[in-house]
Amino acid sequence: MDCFYASVEMLRLGIPKEQPTIVLQWNMALAISYAARKFGVGRGTQVSVIKEKIPNCVVIHCETLNEHDEIKTEQDHHNDIFNASPEERAAALKRENGFLPKRADVKSTLERYRVASQTIFKHIRCFFDEVCGKNNYVYQKASIDEMFLDVTDFCCDQKNQERFLLNSNSARVAKPDKTLRLFSTDPTSDSPQFPQALKLAELVADRLRVSVMENLGFSISCGIAHNKAFAKLAAGKAKPFNVGVLERGESTRRMVQETKLTKVRNFGGKFGKKILDCLEKNCSPPPLPPSGDANGRVWMLSSVLDVSRDQLEEHLGSSGADFVSEMARGEEYELVEETKTSAVKQFSSVVSFGVERGKEKFSMANGDEIPNIEALRDHGKPKVIARELIYRVVTDSSKNKRWPRNWTIGFMSRGGSKTKAVRFPAKERLSFASLHKEGMRILGSLPKEEVFPMIRLWYNAGNFEERPDNTLDVAFGSSDGSGNKSVFSSSSKKLTNKTKFSSSSGGGGSNTKSKSFFGKKRKTPSASSVQQQKLKPPPSPQPPQPPQPPPPTTDDSRRQQQEQLLSQFSPPKQATDNFVVEENHVKTLSSMGFNTASIMKALKNHSNNIELAMNELIS
């Protein structure tokens, strides 16, 4: 979902898409609308620079919480985004435009964006259930703003091609106007030689794009290709609000030539640094940019083809060399893994106090470091994270019928970061006061020199006790407040090198009346059928079954090699594009159980802001 946070705020506040809009996190730009990007504003730009470059820009700070704020429910957030009246939106815009909270007293939260993401993803699942059928596609949630779909079986079926690609007069359906056939000799033509499966995929993606805009007011961009990595690249080329289709062969070769190495999926972190070291050692440097700055040289994905297999293996190992060389030839074998539930693995809430780099304090806006347990106990921020964690755990329990076993208390002081894991309180004994009091007791029992002066504090809840009814419809919940839920289920087949969607959304628009996909009416059960369902006798109890042995492993050696390759990710001292990652942030988030590659991406996305990076990782 491109500039997703900005899209949510523009819809929530009724901001037209031509109005430059920027979402802030403290004093820096977090998300930038397309209308604002043409002024040269990027992520991390200071608010003073934003106002100087774009005097009429709408500046909205992301949601914050203090110890006295009432935490909004998911339904409250949903109503604010999708159901507010024009008068309510205008009043909120007037109240929030340009307002900057006092960082020392509050913490940021991304709950509003999580609710919007759930609503959009649920709509997309309903769309594919109706169009493709529940067993004819594979869905994988990649992050709060991205998903992958494998629609190979559906698009390669000749009956489906005839059903969707021919009209009532048996004439061929025209190519959608918003579809870009990337690197084609004539991207606007509707050549009969274009693969029928890709034609069907681009038609479905175009209908999805229109459906999300008409029903929810968000624009999305889709990429279609033969694997996940190139589907994601195709989606990037299609932004905003288009569909990008990439054929095999010459079109894929052109994509390889024109793609920066740093833009390739899974080419970050320590592994990406090894690739760059290999190229710098064995290849001629890339041409200088127009500015003449040697640090601005850019390596392309095709540069890998100039390195021998032995040279790649020397730097990356056998599996790494295979992975990189295959990607440079346009191939990738990572599977689209079925997402069976949207329930997260853990909940986290984090706050910062004094912030340091080395020995020099660079910001007083975040307040002073906490010198002792007495000051921590009286401070408002620890109370905020206790309330936020309880809210998320209790809300999740009502939806997913589960409860966390573990509670991890983490902190960072000048001596580094440490964690303490204890049992999470039972539901009947849980309250804000008791959780806050117990957290202070545990921190007060630790050696003072290890804990203070405190710079950062976080609470994690995880290792859930699962229940049998933790299905996808329960996990997504009902966003419209009606209580009606659909069971989402789809095939868990593992397909390689198939037609894949990469979907992302951005922009903004107004909410409209819900319409059926492809213009068809949705079937609703009659009263008689509902009554018959109620009269059915309950199934007879089945005797307990003996435990079954685990199924044999069916993944091929290529999959095992890639898993081994991904395990090589670890935090580098410096990431690509001249962006320096704070190693202590990486260590902190790693100690909380997050994948290093995801940590690097999140820190880069949020300009080393650990609070927003953590919110992205846990969402």
Side-chain angles (χ1 to χ4, degrees), residues 28-303:
M28 298 184 297
L30 174 63
I32 305 102
S33 71
Y34 283 105
R37 294 185 182 189
K38 63 183 181 181
F39 292 94
V41 175
R43 180 178 289 158
T45 304
Q46 296 289 316
V47 65
S48 58
V49 177
I50 294 170
K51 292 181 177 180
E52 181 181 342
K53 289 188 174 183
I54 321 175
N56 66 331
C57 183
V58 173
V59 177
I60 304 296
H61 198 281
C62 65
E63 185 182 11
T64 58
L65 293 173
N66 65 35
E67 61 177 309
H68 305 295
D69 286 335
E70 179 181 352
I71 298 180
K72 287 187 175 182
T73 66
E74 290 186 359
Q75 189 61 52
D76 291 336
H77 282 301
H78 185 271
N79 291 337
D80 288 346
I81 299 169
F82 297 102
N83 300 331
S85 67
E87 294 76 16
E88 290 172 328
R89 298 180 193 275
L93 175 60
K94 182 177 180 180
R95 183 173 60 250
E96 297 181 29
N97 186 15
F99 173 74
L100 297 178
K102 187 177 179 182
R103 186 177 182 183
D105 299 331
V106 298
K107 76 172 294 292
S108 61
T109 174
L110 301 184
E111 187 65 21
R112 177 185 297 155
Y113 310 120
R114 281 191 283 267
V115 172
S117 173
Q118 288 178 5
T119 305
I120 296 170
F121 281 19
K122 182 178 180 180
H123 180 85
I124 293 175
R125 289 303 305 266
C126 288
F127 175 90
F128 278 96
D129 281 350
E130 181 174 333
V131 173
C132 299
K134 293 183 179 180
N135 296 320
N136 289 330
Y137 71 99
V138 183
Y139 155 86
Q140 178 183 355
K141 179 180 178 181
S143 67
I144 192 174
D145 60 356
E146 184 178 66
M147 67 164 61
F148 292 101
L149 295 119
D150 190 330
V151 294
T152 306
D153 286 356
F154 174 80
C155 292
C156 289
D157 189 300
Q158 188 173 356
K159 292 181 180 179
N160 291 332
Q161 295 174 5
E162 294 173 354
R163 174 188 170 199
F164 289 97
L165 296 179
L166 298 178
N167 59 26
S168 58
N169 299 321
S170 298
R172 185 181 297 110
V173 174
K175 181 182 79 68
D177 292 337
K178 289 289 188 177
T179 296
L180 307 176
R181 291 179 179 172
L182 302 171
F183 304 108
S184 173
T185 53
D186 187 1
T188 61
S189 69
D190 194 12
S191 169
Q193 285 73 39
F194 196 76
Q196 294 297 303
L198 287 182
K199 286 185 178 180
L200 179 52
E202 70 181 8
L203 179 65
V204 172
D206 184 68
R207 296 293 193 274
L208 173 66
R209 180 184 64 84
V210 173
S211 176
V212 173
M213 173 57 75
E214 290 184 346
N215 288 281
L216 299 178
F218 285 91
S219 69
I220 70 170
S221 299
C222 300
I224 302 171
H226 51 284
N227 57 47
K228 291 168 73 172
F230 282 83
K232 181 177 174 68
L233 292 173
K237 294 285 187 181
K239 293 179 184 294
F241 200 40
N242 285 308
V243 177
V245 186
L246 185 68
E247 292 183 84
R248 283 180 175 272
E250 178 62 21
S251 296
T252 298
R253 188 184 68 82
R254 289 278 307 280
M255 177 69 88
V256 169
Q257 291 177 336
E258 299 190 17
T259 297
K260 296 179 181 179
L261 195 69
T262 54
K263 296 293 184 181
V264 181
R265 187 170 177 269
N266 291 331
F267 274 25
K270 185 177 180 181
F271 184 68
K273 184 66 166 59
K274 288 181 179 180
I275 299 174
L276 292 176
D277 290 342
C278 178
L279 294 177
E280 291 170 356
K281 181 178 179 180
N282 298 290
C283 297
S284 300
L288 287 171
S291 63
D293 183 8
N295 294 324
R297 297 180 187 271
V298 177
W299 291 98
M300 311 303 287
L301 178 56
S302 57
S303 304

Side-chain angles (χ1 to χ4, degrees), residues 293-450:
D293 183 8
N295 294 324
R297 297 180 187 271
V298 177
W299 291 98
M300 311 303 287
L301 178 56
S302 57
S303 304
V304 174
L305 299 174
D306 298 331
V307 183
S308 70
R309 176 65 172 70
D310 291 341
Q311 290 169 335
L312 282 174
E313 186 170 349
E314 178 183 351
H315 287 78
L316 310 175
S318 177
S319 59
D322 289 340
F323 178 59
V324 172
S325 59
E326 285 165 357
M327 192 74 77
R329 295 194 298 270
E331 300 298 334
E332 186 214 27
Y333 299 94
E334 184 177 325
L335 309 176
V336 177
E337 299 282 5
E338 181 71 18
T339 298
K340 299 183 183 298
T341 176
S342 69
V344 299
K345 295 182 178 179
Q346 68 174 7
F347 296 117
S348 297
S349 187
V350 60
V351 289
S352 299
F353 304 103
V355 185
E356 288 193 349
R357 280 183 180 167
K359 296 182 179 179
E360 306 230 352
K361 184 175 290 189
F362 72 91
S363 173
M364 293 298 294
N366 204 26
D368 294 327
E369 301 166 346
I370 303 299
N372 51 52
I373 189 63
E374 291 76 17
L376 183 66
R377 186 181 295 114
D378 295 335
H379 202 285
K381 285 187 175 182
K383 301 173 184 177
V384 174
I385 64 172
R387 291 176 62 230
E388 185 179 41
L389 188 69
I390 290 177
Y391 167 77
R392 297 192 67 186
V393 167
V394 172
T395 302
D396 175 80
S397 175
S398 65
K399 291 167 57 178
N400 298 319
K401 312 302 180 187
R402 61 180 191 164
W403 195 255
R405 293 187 183 96
N406 294 348
W407 176 26
T408 302
I409 303 172
F411 58 90
M412 177 181 290
S413 64
R414 294 182 183 179
S417 59
K418 291 189 177 182
T419 59
K420 173 74 172 179
V422 296
R423 182 77 179 183
F424 196 84
K427 191 170 185 177
E428 57 273 13
R429 299 201 312 270
L430 182 65
S431 69
F432 155 67
S434 64
L435 191 74
H436 176 65
K437 182 177 180 180
E438 180 64 10
M440 296 301 101
R441 185 195 67 78
I442 292 173
L443 289 169
S445 67
L446 300 175
K448 181 178 178 179
E449 61 275 10
E450 292 183 2

